[in-house]
């Protein structure tokens, strides 16, 4: 189930990307549906309601998509099909200088740590292009009962944000921290073409290509 919070409606580029992805998802044999939460100004609250609605289906994975992103259809298929309980793409901040949102584990040489499957080991990821399996949600629910709410604890504040260890944690990094505290791993697929949009400007990016252009990379100047 694709879960998208939005204040008014998703950007046209988002809707076009999702529409273009449908044939690719169908061709891959992926059954899919989408839910939206419109007008909720609290992002963690919106995502908890989206997750509740998605959990009522028989889906085994939930994909959180931000309304100001666009992507290539095959990249969404890769996100859904990649094994792992928490799998993410990465995208640029909305600024002219190219800088990405995820925080990566690095080795002694300062380079990102890469798994055999080509994904990067991340300790914090954005939640705008993020797959979480039902198994991961249930594990999270059991570990953090204080984040359940509603008459029958039917809602899970998966992206609860706030102060921790004298720092303010946004909803996506806070989820990442709690998931890793459970011993969970985050898989980040670097070679995805994801564009972050404002109302009048696009910020296309590909983390893999960006890293190759850094000092010591194969495409460094």
């Amino acid at each position: 189930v694709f879960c998208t919070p939005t204040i008014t409606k998703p950007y046209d580029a988002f809707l076009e990307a999702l529409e273009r992805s449908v044939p690719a998802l169908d061709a891959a044999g992926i059954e899919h549906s989408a839910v939206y939460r419109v007008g909720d100004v609290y992002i963690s609250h919106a995502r908890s309601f989206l997750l509740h609605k998605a959990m009522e289906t028989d889906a085994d994975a939930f994909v959180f998509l931000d309304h100001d992103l666009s992507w290539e259809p095959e990249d969404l298929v890769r996100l859904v099909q990649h094994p792992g309980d928490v799998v993410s793409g990465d995208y640029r901040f909305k600024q002219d200088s190219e800088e990405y949102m995820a925080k990566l584990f690095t080795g002694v040489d300062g380079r990102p740590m890469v798994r055999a499957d080509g994904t990067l080991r991340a300790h914090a990821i954005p939640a705008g292009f993020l797959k979480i399996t039902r198994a991961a949600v249930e594990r999270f629910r059991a570990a953090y009962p204080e984040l359940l709410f509603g008459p029958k604890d039917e809602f899970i504040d998966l992206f609860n944000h706030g102060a921790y260890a004298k720092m303010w944690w946004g909803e996506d990094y806070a989820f990442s921290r709690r998931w890793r505290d459970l011993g969970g791993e985050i898989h980040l697929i670097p070679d995805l073409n994801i564009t972050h949009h404002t109302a009048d400007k696009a910020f296309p990016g590909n983390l893999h290509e960006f890293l190759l252009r850094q000092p010591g990379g194969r495409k460094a100047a």
Side-chain angles (χ1 to χ4, degrees):
V1 180
F2 300 111
C3 303
T4 301
T6 182
I7 296 300
T8 54
K9 72 165 193 171
Y11 283 36
D12 288 344
F14 171 95
L15 295 172
E16 291 168 4
L18 191 58
E19 183 177 4
R20 289 189 299 110
S21 298
V22 169
L25 293 163
D26 291 343
I30 300 170
E31 297 183 22
H32 53 90
S33 60
V35 293
Y36 296 87
R37 177 82 172 176
V38 181
D40 193 334
V41 297
Y42 297 105
I43 186 67
S44 59
H45 187 261
R47 289 198 180 117
S48 67
F49 274 77
L50 288 166
L51 180 60
H52 173 66
K53 183 176 287 189
M55 290 282 285
E56 291 180 330
T57 73
D58 61 356
D60 56 12
F62 314 105
V63 177
F64 292 90
L65 297 173
D66 277 1
H67 73 161
D68 55 359
L69 296 180
S70 63
W71 56 87
E72 297 300 324
E74 60 272 17
D75 289 343
L76 186 57
V77 172
R78 289 177 62 196
L79 181 77
V80 173
Q81 290 185 328
H82 189 85
D85 284 318
V86 175
V87 185
S88 177
D90 197 8
Y91 42 92
R92 291 173 57 179
F93 287 98
K94 298 177 187 180
Q95 60 188 32
D96 290 333
S97 59
E98 192 169 359
E99 183 181 352
Y100 288 79
M101 301 185 76
K103 303 300 180 184
L104 306 176
F105 285 112
T106 57
V108 293
D109 59 359
R111 297 189 178 189
M113 298 176 68
V114 184
R115 294 182 177 84
D117 62 9
T119 60
L120 305 182
R121 297 181 181 272
H123 60 83
I125 39 84
F129 204 77
L130 173 64
K131 183 193 81 170
I132 304 175
T133 65
R134 182 180 290 270
V137 172
E138 295 295 357
R139 184 175 169 188
F140 193 99
R141 178 201 289 273
Y144 299 106
E146 70 276 14
L147 297 181
L148 305 180
F149 67 101
K152 298 180 181 178
D153 286 345
E154 65 265 44
F155 296 96
I156 311 168
D157 194 6
L158 200 67
F159 296 96
N160 177 270
H161 60 282
Y164 176 81
K166 298 190 180 299
M167 293 178 58
W168 176 266
W169 294 70
E171 85 287 346
D172 40 15
Y173 284 14
F175 163 76
S176 302
R177 185 193 74 238
R178 291 189 177 97
W179 175 245
R180 289 189 297 101
D181 285 348
L182 295 182
E185 291 192 344
I186 298 171
H187 294 244
L188 190 147
I189 305 175
D191 192 11
L192 301 177
N193 296 307
I194 304 176
T195 300
H196 210 176
H197 297 266
T198 66
D200 56 3
K201 190 169 183 178
F203 298 88
N206 181 302
L207 178 62
H208 175 68
E209 292 296 325
F210 172 76
L211 292 174
L212 290 180
R213 296 193 301 270
Q214 301 315 296
R218 293 202 305 270
K219 296 184 180 181

